[in-house]
Amino acid sequence: MMGSPILLKLFEHDEALARGVFRLIKQQENRLTVNRPHSEVMAINHAAGRHPVAVSPPVYQLIKRAHRVSLLPGSAFNFAIGPLVKRWKIGFQGNSVPPKDEIRALLALTRPDGMTLDDDSHSVFLHQAGMEIDLGAIAKGWIADEVRDYLRQQQVDYGLINLGGNIQTLGHQTERCWGIGLKQPFAEDGALIGVIKVMSRSVVTSGVYERYFELDGRRYHHILDPRSGYPLDNELLSVTVISRESIDGDIWTTLLYGMGVENSLTYLADAPQIEAIFVTRDRRVICSSQRQFSFSLLDDSYRLHN
Ligand code: ADP
Ligand code: MG
Ligand code: MG
């Protein structure tokens, strides 16, 4: 689902419960997807430049959140990025590097300030034809939290959901914490750099090695820089965010990616609820702080900085 493998771990054999989880994921994906012709989000995109479209309250709230984050000054998170994502097609058939002038033209359409959100009617209006919103950088986090809430309602107190690298966990007993592997970038055998231990926390990783294509010896990955129109390019190979809510983790991996290590560490010093692990091209593993998790290094070809 959602272009990714989905893993659910429960400690009781309960098929009805598992089916309920997958039904919920499917339902939310159907509302949010931009990879099929029909969804609430696609209805907004189809009406760009023409008229506002009312959506369901939860989808509206999600869009409001994405909108707010996209408007932050210098934000690398921009959910109006749809036209560029569609043109690059990274991770899909037919990807190619767009010519510079085309990128420039598409950048003009990726403006979070070029839309109107109306709280009364729960409607969204994209002012210009060709504009498209894309919730790909926030949807999995939101759905992971929904799954956690659903499991709690069903009296499950121990479980894990992994939506393609977006992990949310339930469980409070210290002696039974979750160990989440931090992948070695580009390792084909699933080798790990280390293990992140958490209890009832979300662990979200975004990496340049998740979805990409190669052309003329260059690698193009799927997190685009809304400021340049090209894939984000800095010293980082992956960013992992540990937080209570997975939606925060999903948003923050993109924001921190765009900030780079130094600026991120400065920023996170004042944001105790959000903690991060950065993996750099020169094999450094940098933890911002370790209040909500503990990290152990397994591969000593990496250097750990706390
Ligand atoms: P993952 O695919 O690991 O969940 P993200 O959460 O960063 O990674 O989401 C990436 C997806 O978000 C892309 O596939 C694309 O649909 C969309 N996207 C790409 N770049 C941006 C960006 N700068 N801001 C917001 N959304 C983006
Ligand atoms: Mg994200
Ligand atoms: Mg994500």
Side-chain angles (χ1 to χ4, degrees), residues 9-12 17 148 151-160 169-173 176 178 199-200:
K9 283 201 179 198
L10 299 169
F11 286 83
E12 288 148 73
L17 184 65
R148 180 225 23 220
L151 290 173
R152 273 197 194 138
Q153 275 164 26
Q154 303 296 315
Q155 267 78 54
V156 174
D157 47 27
Y158 210 73
L160 176 148
T169 63
L170 287 91
H172 292 278
Q173 295 158 282
R176 294 176 77 202
W178 288 100
M199 284 184 296
S200 57

Side-chain angles (χ1 to χ4, degrees), residues 49 143 175 181 226:
I143 297 175
E175 64 278 13

Side-chain angles (χ1 to χ4, degrees), residues 136-138 140-141 166 204 206 250 253:
I138 188 173
K140 286 187 203 140
N166 235 282
V204 179
S206 269
D250 211 357
T253 48

Side-chain angles (χ1 to χ4, degrees), residues 76-78 81 85 134 136-137 140 205-206 210-211 222-224 226 250 254:
F77 183 107
N78 181 344
I81 199 131
V85 173
D134 177 336
K140 286 187 203 140
T205 299
S206 269
E210 289 176 84
R211 256 189 278 161
H222 75 306
I223 307 166
L224 299 175
D250 211 357
T254 306

